[in-house]
Amino acid sequence: MTRSVWLKADDEVGDWEARKRRITAGLEAGVDWVLVDDDDVDRVRELGEVNVAAFSNGDVHVMEAEEGDSDTDAVIVGKDGEGDGTVDLPSDFSGSADLSTLRTDGDGLQGGYVHIRNKNYESFAEEVAAEADFTIVIGEDWKIIPLENLIARIGEETDLIAGVQNATEARTAFETLELGADGVLLDTDDPDEIRKTVEVRDEVQRENLDLTWAEVTDVEQTGSADRVCIDTGNLMDHDEGMLIGSMARGLFFVHAETAESPYVASRPFRVNAGAVHAYVRTPGGETKYLSELSSGDEVQVVDLDGNTREAIVGRVKIEKRPMFRVQAETDEGDRIETLLQNAETIKVPTKDGRKAITDLEAGDEMKVYYENTARHFGEAVEESIIEK
């Protein structure tokens, strides 16, 4: 599930200068959507690149991006209507003006906005969810129980967006019933809270990998090969690196070059990853050949506990260098291997601590990621493939 952060920036926030400050903070933090009144859509477009949703005045038509027209990515129904309680809910939802508006064919994405005041509004939100691409729900005196109910009852036909006021509430919304909301609508002027909420979004949708140990069975010098250094646009910590291997089912943890050396400065943006044929793990559980990487691609950074995050490739350096072939055996008795450059600056985690590849020897235990699956164009597949 891809999570999203929406930022509330309509006229309830204040005048345009107040709204502009909030939107600018959201753009700098990396929010996914900004929710505004229709009159502000063009102003938001001038501030930066972001998805823009606009409250509707009963018109679900999404105007095409022509000169002078508002270019809205989604229209949201419910403000100043039944959704926020301005208009009383009808006893029979078939007579709902908001639902009637949502059922009208529009040219783009549509959403509903509902304040959950009581059980009737919770039921109304379910009806909205059946018609809308997005269902934004704002809790009043009680928040968790209605959200749990809606998560349990609403299917995949809508993205459920929960109203929150800080990063702590956002985490709760993302983790409720383990499934969580698809997104949050954040209502705050605090730039730090906006940034923290975006960090929560990133954290909850990242993988946590089950790393294990494999015993080194052979380390032998080979000839030279075309070696790849992955230089990222992100700094890595001392316990971080990437997962690299000649066989997709068994990838070796290779540390970033964060360690100081008497001979060369640390390069905490770099992983000296091995030969061009090897795999590197990328976000979403996929792999790429090192030879395929180029500037702008995403790779997966992992720490020693298996926590992952994304990094952007800034540069790939390919040079001919002498190599080691490292072979290890997993607890399942499977032999995996990779090629790594013969250099003291390449380090791997072992049970005895961080160790240079030049000091590695048979009997050491290295940290690896093992999954007994084959790969086809980077995707895991249920297929019999022999790698040796």
Side-chain angles (χ1 to χ4, degrees):
M1 177 189 295
T2 300
R3 314 284 185 167
S4 60
V5 173
W6 296 51
L7 187 64
K8 191 174 187 292
D10 62 334
D11 60 5
E12 294 180 355
V13 169
D15 61 18
W16 168 244
E17 288 304 315
R19 303 196 297 272
K20 180 180 177 181
R21 285 194 295 272
R22 180 181 286 204
I23 293 166
T24 301
L27 292 172
E28 291 175 351
V31 300
D32 304 287
W33 288 83
V34 173
L35 177 59
V36 296
D37 296 308
D38 188 60
D39 292 343
D40 284 342
V41 172
D42 291 335
R43 287 171 164 179
V44 177
R45 293 292 186 210
E46 292 173 359
L47 295 177
E49 185 68 29
V50 69
N51 294 309
V52 183
F55 282 116
S56 150
N57 292 319
D59 179 9
V60 295
H61 179 64
V62 182
M63 291 179 282
E64 295 182 359
E66 299 175 351
E67 187 175 354
D69 284 343
S70 295
D71 180 16
T72 309
D73 295 304
V75 172
I76 308 300
V77 175
K79 182 180 177 180
D80 297 328
E82 296 157 346
D84 68 359
T86 302
V87 176
D88 290 339
L89 283 180
S91 57
D92 184 351
F93 291 158
S94 63
S96 164
D98 285 1
L99 290 174
S100 177
T101 300
L102 284 170
R103 292 184 182 116
T104 304
D105 290 334
D107 298 330
L109 296 173
Q110 302 173 35
Y113 181 79
V114 184
H115 281 240
I116 308 296
R117 301 170 182 273
N118 52 45
K119 289 293 290 184
N120 287 338
Y121 281 91
E122 185 180 315
S123 299
F124 183 64
E126 291 183 50
E127 295 294 323
V128 168
E131 306 293 340
D133 299 295
F134 304 106
T135 304
I136 302 171
V137 293
I138 310 298
E140 294 291 324
D141 297 331
W142 50 316
K143 297 182 179 182
I144 303 303
I145 300 303
L147 185 58
E148 288 182 349
N149 293 342
L150 290 170
I151 290 172
R153 295 171 188 165
I154 291 175
E156 297 180 356
E157 68 273 10
T158 191
D159 278 2
L160 183 62
I161 313 299
V164 300
Q165 294 185 321
N166 53 55
T168 300
E169 290 183 0
R171 182 181 296 279
T172 299
F174 283 136
E175 295 178 350
T176 297
L177 288 186
E178 297 186 0
L179 295 173
D182 297 284
V184 294
L185 174 64
L186 179 63
D187 186 4
T188 183
D189 288 320
D190 186 343
D192 286 338
E193 240 9 273
I194 297 172
R195 175 182 51 78
K196 289 175 184 176
T197 300
V198 171
E199 290 175 354
V200 167
R201 174 205 67 189
D202 293 341
E203 181 183 337
V204 298
Q205 64 186 6
R206 286 172 178 152
E207 289 183 287
N208 184 273
L209 303 179
D210 185 15
L211 302 180
T212 186
W213 298 102
E215 183 178 346
V216 176
T217 55
D218 193 16
V219 181
E220 74 169 330
Q221 294 188 31
T222 67
S224 294
D226 292 324
R227 183 270 291 133
V228 178
C229 278
I230 305 173
D231 290 348
T232 71
N234 308 76
L235 295 176
M236 286 173 270
D237 292 332
H238 196 65
D239 67 342
E240 291 184 316
M242 295 180 194
L243 296 171
I244 312 292
S246 295
M247 300 167 179
R249 67 182 184 273
L251 303 178
F252 294 78
F253 190 117
V254 180
H255 273 292
E257 293 191 4
T258 56
E260 295 291 340
S261 164
Y263 308 105
V264 63
S266 66
R267 294 178 173 85
F269 55 82
R270 170 176 293 176
V271 172
N272 188 323
V276 287
H277 74 285
Y279 295 102
V280 60
R281 206 168 195 272
T282 58
E286 299 182 4
T287 58
K288 277 192 173 183
Y289 293 117
L290 293 180
S291 61
E292 294 178 338
L293 292 179
S294 60
S295 179
D297 286 346
E298 277 194 332
V299 287
Q300 189 176 69
V301 172
V302 62
D303 69 16
L304 293 173
D305 294 323
N307 300 309
T308 68
R309 62 186 177 96
E310 303 76 39
I312 302 297
V313 176
R315 172 179 55 240
V316 175
K317 287 183 61 181
I318 303 177
E319 301 162 304
K320 197 170 291 293
R321 292 290 186 268
M323 308 294 283
F324 277 122
R325 182 180 70 87
V326 180
Q327 185 183 77
E329 184 173 307
T330 68
D331 288 341
E332 293 81 3
D334 193 3
R335 294 288 180 94
I336 57 176
E337 62 180 55
T338 198
L339 296 181
L340 293 171
Q341 183 184 340
N342 182 348
E344 295 85 350
T345 54
I346 292 88
K347 292 182 168 59
V348 295
T350 73
K351 279 196 172 179
D352 296 324
R354 188 180 178 120
K355 192 174 250 191
I357 189 69
T358 50
D359 296 328
L360 196 68
E361 57 188 4
D364 286 336
E365 291 189 80
M366 293 180 62
K367 187 149 280 193
V368 303
Y369 177 66
Y370 182 78
E371 55 178 352
N372 192 13
T373 185
R375 294 271 169 175
H376 183 67
F377 293 112
E379 297 272 2
V381 295
E382 295 296 328
E383 183 179 9
S384 176
I385 294 178
I386 297 175
E387 296 177 297
K388 62 181 182 178

